[in-house]
Amino acid sequence: MKTLSFNNYETEEFFDELITEAGESRDGAERLVQRINSLSDEELMARQREIEAALLRMGITFTVYGDNAGTEKIFPFDLIPRIVMASDWQHIEAGLKQRIATLNKFLNDIYHDQEIVKEGILPREMLDKAKSFRPQCVGLNPPGGVWCHITGTDLVRHSDGAIYVLEDNLRCPSGVSYVLQNRLVMKRSFPNAFADSRVRPVVNYPNQLLETMLSVAPQGVEEPTVVVLTPGIYNSAYYEHSFLAQQMGVELVQGDDLVVQDDRVYMFTTDGLAQVDVIYRRIDDDFMDPQSFRKDSMLGVPGLMQAYRKGNVTLCNAPGTGVADDKVIYAYVPEMIRYYLGEEPILPNVPTYVCQREEDRKYVLAHLDELVVKAANEAGGYGMLIGPHSTKAQQQEFAELIKADPRNYIAQPTLALSRVPTIVGDHFEGRHVDLRPYILCGKSIWVLPGGLTRVALKKGSLVVNSSQGGGSKDTWVIAGHHVEVADPEGSL
């Protein structure tokens, strides 16, 4: 008897991205659902195993810091993709472009005149206590006025069907390599369903990334040299650093591969020193240059910030962008959009309590068992309390943390995240997902038509981070009329 079928799939009370409450396929998912229902359980599981074996051979790994079981892990993958309808994507794309345009204006403002603070839109104390604000960046003017060139913005869908922004990642957002590799294995496994579903391509991302960085090279450089700067093999995203460098056809370098002379950055090569014009840096601000940031850093390049200040090299993303993804600053983004653009936000934030505000703090402390509490500068699912799944002892611990440093915490209601069918043993069960699209900003803003769908593989879990046991799925954005469709015969 076939059990891996959508015919007996239950959406329960959640919004499902593939199947409606009535048990029908959502728009764009018809061909995929038909194809999966037509396969035997044995054939479907064989394809899942083939994909896992392919990902293992491709070495698609990540590192969990503090895990003693091993340095690298294979990123779990589930073969049932997430479908995004064309109309939904049009809305998401417009909202992300609006948001990134705003955050770039915000960064330029706070490192110059700070008009948003003077106008009272952002309280002074929120900025003064932002740990990721970099005084070293005050007065800097990045080429083209662009501070954040690469952003990964996390989105979720609530049970009301609306898409919300969960958080912005403007420092070194990772995960796009999984998007590209997931697509590769899915196209091989479901070529006909893929072709019939009119899926938009993601293959252009490395080229778009390179074009973005070339567009912000220092003035007067006719043939800019671009490199990817990695902290090295022990970084959790080292695989991605090497993959993107290889895909773009540029050098992958570490700090000791570069040297600054006369306020210019050079790379050691077998032919001598070669000047570097644009650096896609995947090193945090603190470790980038021991002369300007942490003096004990062995990862960075001494003198790099001075070369940057002189306009002799472009850093992508610019130093100091982390202040815009501080989770407390995030709460003010809707007001920023109104202030800088004079527009209403297209994508709403998740309602957010800022613990620095007294009324908000009182409410949070009284409702810790209902809320999700987050530390302002943590990522990867660390520094979180998920109230409904927490113990009294954990709630008490967070209450003390909030009272000791209220500026460092926000809280949000526990959303009923949407789900996607996922293989669990011999049947499908809904598992909660989020979506991280990638936005590139150079002379123009471009959004990758897709993104990393992260899935919480544990039943009922709302934490999708890979470091917390989450996995990933391919994301199929369905093409509207007159929109490019992925080549089913192409590599991606």
Side-chain angles (χ1 to χ4, degrees):
M1 176 184 173
K2 179 175 171 57
T3 58
L4 283 168
S5 166
F6 295 111
N7 295 332
N8 49 14
Y9 177 71
E10 295 289 338
T11 61
E12 301 175 86
E13 72 273 28
F14 297 99
F15 185 103
D16 194 277
E17 301 287 349
L18 216 60
I19 306 293
T20 68
E21 289 182 13
E24 298 173 346
S25 310
R26 291 200 182 277
D27 291 346
E30 300 92 340
R31 184 71 181 92
L32 173 72
V33 169
Q34 289 170 9
R35 182 59 180 151
I36 290 175
N37 278 341
S38 72
L39 296 174
S40 68
D41 289 359
E42 292 73 19
E43 192 168 357
L44 204 55
M45 289 307 298
R47 294 187 187 206
Q48 171 74 31
R49 288 193 296 272
E50 287 169 6
I51 288 175
E52 290 171 348
L55 295 173
L56 184 62
R57 286 195 302 274
M58 292 154 70
I60 300 173
T61 60
F62 70 101
T63 303
V64 176
Y65 298 127
D67 187 336
N68 296 324
T71 301
E72 293 182 316
K73 292 178 178 294
I74 302 298
F75 197 12
F77 178 83
D78 182 84
L79 63 71
I80 309 301
R82 177 198 188 133
I83 302 289
V84 182
M85 291 185 292
S87 57
D88 274 352
W89 186 255
Q90 189 175 22
H91 177 72
I92 289 171
E93 184 178 35
L96 292 173
K97 287 183 175 179
Q98 180 192 55
R99 199 167 179 98
I100 299 312
T102 299
L103 290 172
N104 268 301
K105 287 181 179 293
F106 168 71
L107 287 162
N108 203 56
D109 184 13
I110 61 161
Y111 286 117
H112 289 87
D113 297 331
Q114 300 189 348
E115 294 291 345
I116 193 168
V117 176
K118 294 174 185 172
E119 294 283 343
I121 309 298
L122 177 69
R124 165 65 66 185
E125 59 187 336
M126 302 300 179
L127 184 60
D128 287 349
K129 294 183 179 179
K131 294 177 181 175
S132 46
F133 181 84
R134 298 286 179 256
Q136 299 91 331
C137 297
V138 170
L140 281 176
N141 294 296
V146 180
W147 288 78
C148 190
H149 311 85
I150 304 109
T151 305
T153 298
D154 292 342
L155 306 175
V156 292
R157 192 197 297 271
H158 188 37
S159 55
D160 60 4
I163 301 284
Y164 293 85
V165 177
L166 188 62
E167 62 183 48
D168 305 288
N169 298 281
L170 287 82
R171 290 175 237 204
C172 302
S174 61
V176 75
S177 58
Y178 304 121
V179 175
L180 302 179
Q181 300 289 35
N182 288 351
R183 174 59 52 82
L184 179 64
V185 295
M186 282 298 292
K187 282 181 69 173
R188 288 175 180 167
S189 194
F190 293 93
N192 295 331
F194 186 87
D196 293 346
S197 296
R198 291 182 46 78
V199 182
R200 294 186 63 181
V202 296
V203 64
N204 292 338
Y205 182 82
N207 287 340
Q208 289 284 350
L209 176 60
L210 183 58
E211 286 297 318
T212 297
M213 289 191 285
L214 291 174
S215 76
V216 293
Q219 284 189 338
V221 180
E222 293 187 359
E223 296 184 7
T225 296
V226 176
V227 299
V228 176
L229 176 59
T230 176
I233 62 171
Y234 296 108
N235 184 270
S236 63
Y238 177 76
Y239 164 78
E240 178 158 299
H241 305 163
S242 59
F243 175 81
L244 289 176
Q246 185 267 333
Q247 290 289 308
M248 289 190 290
V250 306
E251 294 290 336
L252 176 69
V253 300
Q254 295 184 221
D256 55 9
D257 294 320
L258 302 177
V259 64
V260 176
Q261 294 182 358
D262 299 325
D263 298 331
R264 297 180 185 277
V265 183
Y266 295 91
M267 169 174 52
F268 294 107
T269 76
T270 53
D271 295 324
L273 296 178
Q275 187 167 347
V276 172
D277 306 295
V278 182
I279 299 176
Y280 178 20
R281 55 102 179 182
R282 298 293 297 255
I283 293 181
D284 291 341
D285 291 352
D286 285 342
F287 300 97
M288 205 167 54
D289 177 358
Q291 292 182 1
S292 295
F293 299 103
R294 280 183 57 158
K295 300 190 184 309
D296 61 344
S297 172
M298 303 293 285
L299 301 174
V301 185
L304 183 58
M305 275 298 287
Q306 181 63 8
Y308 179 61
R309 285 192 196 94
K310 292 279 188 178
N312 293 329
V313 69
T314 300
L315 297 174
C316 303
N317 290 327
T321 52
V323 67
D325 66 27
D326 179 309
K327 291 179 176 60
V328 173
I329 300 296
Y330 150 92
Y332 293 88
V333 173
E335 286 304 315
M336 289 182 199
I337 292 171
R338 298 184 183 99
Y339 176 69
Y340 290 117
L341 303 185
E343 301 172 1
E344 282 300 307
I346 297 171
L347 292 173
N349 272 15
V350 176
T352 301
Y353 300 96
V354 176
C355 292
Q356 178 72 11
R357 300 191 294 230
E358 185 176 356
E359 287 300 313
D360 285 13
R361 184 167 64 252
K362 287 180 180 175
Y363 181 86
V364 171
L365 291 173
H367 296 83
L368 283 170
D369 59 334
E370 303 171 12
L371 300 169
V372 177
V373 181
K374 300 178 182 177
N377 290 286
E378 293 282 359
Y382 297 101
M384 286 178 62
L385 174 79
I386 299 183
H389 298 171
S390 65
T391 64
K392 289 293 182 188
Q394 290 168 327
Q395 293 167 26
Q396 184 59 38
E397 177 190 353
F398 268 77
E400 296 304 321
L401 290 170
I402 291 169
K403 291 174 187 172
D405 186 7
R407 167 58 179 80
N408 197 41
Y409 290 92
I410 64 160
Q412 296 168 327
T414 308
L415 299 184
L417 303 189
S418 65
R419 305 197 312 187
V420 174
T422 301
I423 295 178
V424 179
D426 63 353
H427 63 287
F428 294 140
E429 284 185 10
R431 289 290 184 268
H432 296 296
V433 293
D434 75 353
L435 175 63
R436 175 177 291 183
Y438 295 86
I439 309 102
L440 301 178
C441 181
K443 285 186 177 177
S444 59
I445 301 176
W446 181 83
V447 184
L448 176 70
L452 181 65
T453 289
R454 300 184 298 180
V455 54
L457 294 174
K458 296 177 185 173
K459 186 177 180 62
S461 174
L462 299 172
V463 182
V464 299
N465 306 79
S466 56
S467 51
Q468 306 292 323
S472 72
K473 291 171 168 285
D474 195 13
T475 307
W476 290 9
V477 173
I478 306 303
H481 295 300
H482 310 299
V483 174
E484 182 187 11
V485 176
D487 175 8
E489 303 298 326
S491 61
L492 292 173

